[in-house]
Amino acid sequence: NTFDYEKIQTTPIKRKEKTLLFVGINKKRKNLNFLIDVMALLPKDIKLTIIGSKNSNDLNINKKINNLNLTKQVSTLGVVDKKTLIEHYQTSTALIFPSLLEGFGYPIIEAAAYQLPVIASNQSALPEIGKNGCLYFNPKDKQDCKERILELINSPLLQKQLIKTN
């Protein structure tokens, strides 16, 4: 569970507009179903890429994505190699981390290393890990999450401020 500091690009990176990244496993505490529901509330030009294992307790998010007609908005990649993961950290607009319970929140650290702004749950250890470098939301309030996403997506200045704070 580490990343290669030598692969971190310090030169300006061309980020895709309106592209969110979720990195983690598909367990109830990760709150992925909540995030899919929020995606249904957002404009269709905002995209979400989900990277991580579809463990044995798979909550069948693909079925939910289909049922909500989000197949053009949400993509699930499963487990990817390091090169692909790094590429997504380097090209997404922001990491979204809606977890209800975390012991640490490693993707927040990775995102900071790749100068990727973070929108995170205000629960558990996440505010302690992200400090002032994240935009926080209530992980049980879909409207709050939606508003934070739109706030960050529509403000290049806020994106720069969060990166600078990291």
Side-chain angles (χ1 to χ4, degrees), residues 39-53:
M39 288 304 295
L41 302 174
L42 291 166
K44 298 295 179 208
D45 63 340
I46 297 176
K47 309 294 184 206
L48 171 65
T49 301
I50 299 170
I51 293 178
S53 71

Side-chain angles (χ1 to χ4, degrees), residues 109-127:
I109 302 299
E110 285 183 321
Y114 291 106
Q115 299 180 357
L116 179 64
V118 176
I119 307 166
S121 160
N122 64 6
Q123 301 291 302
S124 199
L126 299 180

Side-chain angles (χ1 to χ4, degrees), residues 4-19:
D4 187 350
Y5 286 99
E6 293 177 11
K7 299 220 185 229
I8 296 174
Q9 196 171 12
T10 56
T11 57
I13 297 165
K14 177 69 175 150
R15 299 219 180 258
K16 297 175 188 172
E17 290 186 20
K18 301 181 181 182
T19 304

Side-chain angles (χ1 to χ4, degrees), residues 5-108:
Y5 286 99
E6 293 177 11
K7 299 220 185 229
I8 296 174
Q9 196 171 12
T10 56
T11 57
I13 297 165
K14 177 69 175 150
R15 299 219 180 258
K16 297 175 188 172
E17 290 186 20
K18 301 181 181 182
T19 304
L20 301 172
L21 174 64
F22 171 90
V23 177
I25 57 176
N26 186 13
K27 287 194 174 182
K28 193 171 183 174
R29 69 182 174 86
K30 296 296 186 172
N31 215 12
L32 202 45
N33 276 316
F34 167 88
L35 182 55
I36 303 298
D37 287 337
V38 171
M39 288 304 295
L41 302 174
L42 291 166
K44 298 295 179 208
D45 63 340
I46 297 176
K47 309 294 184 206
L48 171 65
T49 301
I50 299 170
I51 293 178
S53 71
K54 299 177 186 181
N55 59 54
S56 60
N57 297 322
D58 188 8
L59 299 173
N60 205 347
I61 56 167
N62 287 325
K63 182 177 180 182
K64 184 169 193 154
I65 291 166
N66 286 330
N67 289 344
L68 293 173
N69 295 317
L70 294 172
T71 55
K72 293 183 180 175
Q73 211 173 333
V74 179
S75 60
T76 58
L77 302 184
V79 176
V80 298
D81 59 38
K82 271 195 181 246
K83 181 181 177 195
T84 303
L85 178 62
I86 290 168
E87 181 180 296
H88 283 279
Y89 273 121
Q90 291 177 329
T91 59
S92 297
T93 305
L95 175 76
I96 180 116
F97 207 68
S99 189
L100 295 167
L101 179 64
E102 283 298 325
F104 188 71
Y106 193 76
I108 291 176

